[in-house]
Amino acid sequence: MGWRLALRPYVLIVPALLLTCGILYPFGLGLYYTLFDFSASKPQPDMVRFENYETVFTQEAFWNSAWVTVLYAVGAAAVETVLGVAVALLLHRSSLVGRVLEKILILPLMIAPVIAAIIWKLMLQPSVGVINYLLRPFGLGGVQWTDTPTGALLSSIAVDVWVYTPFVAILALAGLRSLPTSPFEAAAVDGAGWRYTFRRLTLPMLWPYVLVAVIFRFMDSLKVFDIIYALTEGGPGDSTVVLQIRAYLEAIRFQRYSFGISYTIVLWAVVYLAAMVLVKHLGKIQRKAAEVK
């Protein structure tokens, strides 16, 4: 019996070890492939060391994709955070309407992002789309939503906002319901208004939950592929070609495998560094929120 108890901790970590190996092995293999020049036209590759990365960073296409990726990630995360917190504040009020809307809120999360993007692509069609049909009485019909560079990027962000704002709202709502009531009761006794209470109590204590949502959404938006590819396929031109789509084009469409993998490694490094900065900031926010409580 004693040997079973001694063996139990090692048995319990087996799933975690298998998962770690399942993640690190393909990552390490991909990192190794970037040192060669694998492509469809060169089945017997030569080692080029870091030439793929040098080519990536000297391409104008890379910097364009990096700029589009940052615009998309910052825009989507910012809008989703503001709308999500606003929706959570509205739903925090106990009412029948709030409870019904709370159940409806999760519906966009139940739809695959690719399916949501295809639905919105049909709705945004200039001639037969329902969006232009509804706007026509206001003199706004016939808008080329995804046929211009700016319109395509904004439309992609709008679809992302529609899909993932409920995620931020649910996290913020959970945070609101977990806040202690005693500071708010003391503020009410002192005659504090709702603006002062929100600015000095609600927001500082809610920030850790909001920042967790921001971290999730910002990281996910940096890696976006499905929504943009289903909605615009990176067009028109290169206006919505984010880093993930650029990697796909290089590795799959142009069949330059090592070069395409190099894009994904660069994207991984960007996401990792951004996550480290945000998580470090999260620790500071949590300490400040604890002081408020």
Side-chain angles (χ1 to χ4, degrees):
M1 187 64 180
W3 66 270
R4 292 183 178 179
L5 291 176
L7 190 61
R8 183 178 298 175
Y10 301 98
V11 174
L12 292 176
I13 66 172
V14 169
L17 287 175
L18 292 175
L19 180 61
T20 302
C21 292
I23 293 173
L24 292 181
Y25 175 73
F27 176 79
L29 190 62
L31 193 61
Y32 174 73
Y33 283 160
T34 62
L35 303 178
F36 295 83
D37 56 352
F38 280 102
S39 66
S41 61
K42 197 169 186 180
Q44 300 297 327
D46 298 320
M47 176 173 280
V48 296
R49 299 185 184 275
F50 299 105
E51 287 184 14
N52 285 320
Y53 296 103
E54 294 175 4
T55 305
V56 165
F57 287 113
T58 55
Q59 273 192 337
E60 184 180 350
F62 166 77
W63 295 108
N64 176 74
S65 295
W67 176 243
V68 173
T69 302
V70 171
L71 285 178
Y72 182 93
V74 172
V79 176
E80 288 163 10
T81 301
V82 173
L83 290 181
V85 172
V87 171
L89 290 171
L90 292 175
L91 295 180
H92 188 52
R93 300 175 178 271
S94 298
S95 65
L96 177 61
V97 176
R99 288 192 293 270
V100 172
L101 291 178
E102 187 177 342
K103 305 302 184 294
I104 298 176
L105 187 66
I106 64 173
L107 290 179
L109 294 176
M110 299 171 66
I111 302 175
V114 172
I115 302 301
I118 293 174
I119 293 172
W120 276 94
K121 185 175 183 178
L122 295 174
M123 294 171 61
L124 293 172
Q125 286 293 322
S127 56
V128 298
V130 67
I131 301 297
N132 277 346
Y133 175 78
L134 295 175
L135 293 177
R136 192 169 295 123
F138 303 97
L140 299 175
V143 178
Q144 306 292 322
W145 295 101
T146 59
D147 294 338
T148 62
T150 302
L153 182 60
L154 293 178
S155 298
S156 301
I157 293 175
V159 175
D160 196 296
V161 168
W162 182 82
V163 174
Y164 291 111
T165 294
F167 172 79
V168 179
I170 290 172
L171 280 181
L173 184 60
L176 285 170
R177 290 177 175 174
S178 67
L179 298 182
T181 58
S182 54
F184 297 97
E185 293 173 352
V189 170
D190 292 339
W194 69 270
R195 292 182 180 178
Y196 180 87
T197 303
F198 176 77
R199 188 173 68 255
R200 296 294 184 178
L201 294 177
T202 305
L203 197 57
M205 288 190 289
L206 188 63
W207 259 122
Y209 302 94
V210 175
L211 191 55
V212 168
V214 170
I215 291 173
F216 275 106
R217 289 305 315 133
F218 185 68
M219 297 300 100
D220 203 31
S221 297
L222 284 175
K223 302 178 297 179
V224 67
F225 176 85
D226 43 13
I227 290 177
I228 291 182
Y229 192 79
L231 188 66
T232 67
E233 296 187 12
D238 290 344
S239 59
T240 56
V241 177
V242 293
L243 288 174
Q244 196 83 304
I245 291 182
R246 180 69 65 185
Y248 163 79
L249 293 175
E250 294 290 349
I252 305 302
R253 185 169 296 181
F254 305 146
Q255 298 183 335
R256 295 189 288 183
Y257 310 124
S258 294
F259 192 59
I261 296 173
S262 300
Y263 265 95
T264 63
I265 297 299
V266 171
L267 178 59
W268 168 83
V270 171
V271 173
Y272 179 79
L273 292 175
M276 292 292 291
V277 172
L278 289 174
V279 169
K280 183 178 180 180
H281 188 60
L282 175 61
K284 297 180 180 178
I285 293 295
Q286 287 176 331
R287 288 190 291 271
K288 289 182 180 180
E291 294 175 359
V292 174
K293 294 179 182 180

